[in-house]
Amino acid sequence: MMTTILCYGDSLTWGSVPNGGRYPKHLRWPSQLNERLGKHHQVINLGLPGRTTLWNDPFLEGRNGLAYLQAALETFGPVDILIIMLGTNDLKRHFNVGAYEAAKGIEKLIEKSKMPNTHGFPSPILLIIAPPNILSPNGAVAESFDGAVEKSQHFHQYYQDVAVHNKCLFLNSAGILQPSEIDGVHLDAQANEQLAEAVFSLLKGKV
């Protein structure tokens, strides 16, 4: 039986290179996770730059994570494991919210994933990943993430509370990696590898 793992995230999952471009497929952490898990697992990268937990971005269309989750679960279903790593974009200045609100958004995504569907698909196992702490934002992202550094340091606490309360697996990415110093937000190739290894270690024996 093929195990389907859906990675629902933003540019950190999509594979954005710090300050521009996209990594080749083999360098993105979902692809590296698939390589570690082997051929009986299908890891789907459904990252989208700019995606939020549940906020509508006035400058980017279709970035509300909650609005698209049900369609994603039906498109790729049945999904055995759903990995959610969102919240970094929630901290953009124009949303005016913090890690607490992002965690509440994650909770809504968890609830949505457990809702009955017309196909009778079972609810997936959930892994919630708290995003890494934002370093000093540089370059193209500097203005958008003004004030986000301190807010991001609270991801771990609030996300863990939500994950435990909803009986989800949890990973604090800030405990194993940090973004590239080039822009302070996105992951370098090493961080992609570190994240893939951490997720693999967590899922090993569960899939």
Side-chain angles (χ1 to χ4, degrees), residues 86-207:
L86 286 170
T88 299
N89 290 302
D90 294 38
L91 303 190
K92 286 178 176 175
R93 187 171 61 180
H94 58 270
F95 291 121
N96 197 32
V97 300
Y100 173 78
E101 288 82 7
K104 298 302 283 184
I106 292 291
E107 193 154 43
K108 296 298 288 185
L109 287 161
I110 293 169
E111 290 170 7
K112 174 72 79 173
S113 74
K114 293 179 177 179
M115 288 175 63
N117 57 80
T118 56
H119 314 289
F121 294 154
S123 298
I125 295 168
L126 277 118
L127 167 56
I128 305 301
I129 302 179
N133 296 339
I134 295 172
L135 304 179
S136 182
N138 293 306
V141 301
E143 284 299 321
S144 292
F145 287 99
D146 182 36
V149 173
E150 187 180 351
K151 290 179 179 180
S152 71
Q153 292 167 3
H154 300 284
F155 274 141
H156 173 213
Q157 171 194 345
Y158 293 125
Y159 278 50
Q160 186 170 30
D161 288 348
V162 165
V164 169
H165 180 70
N166 290 279
K167 298 179 174 59
C168 303
L169 300 172
F170 175 73
L171 176 65
N172 174 32
S173 70
I176 54 169
L177 61 90
Q178 65 177 29
S180 166
E181 292 182 2
I182 293 172
D183 71 2
V185 174
H186 296 106
L187 307 180
D188 60 20
Q190 181 185 8
N192 271 275
E193 191 171 343
Q194 290 169 321
L195 186 54
E197 184 61 37
V199 174
F200 171 68
S201 297
L202 194 62
L203 295 182
K204 195 167 50 178
K206 294 183 172 63
V207 293

Side-chain angles (χ1 to χ4, degrees), residues 8 51-55 63-69 86 109:
Y8 196 65
R51 181 179 279 144
T52 66
T53 58
L54 45 59
W55 316 102
R63 264 46 180 197
N64 181 327
L66 185 64
Y68 288 87
L69 180 60
L86 286 170
L109 287 161

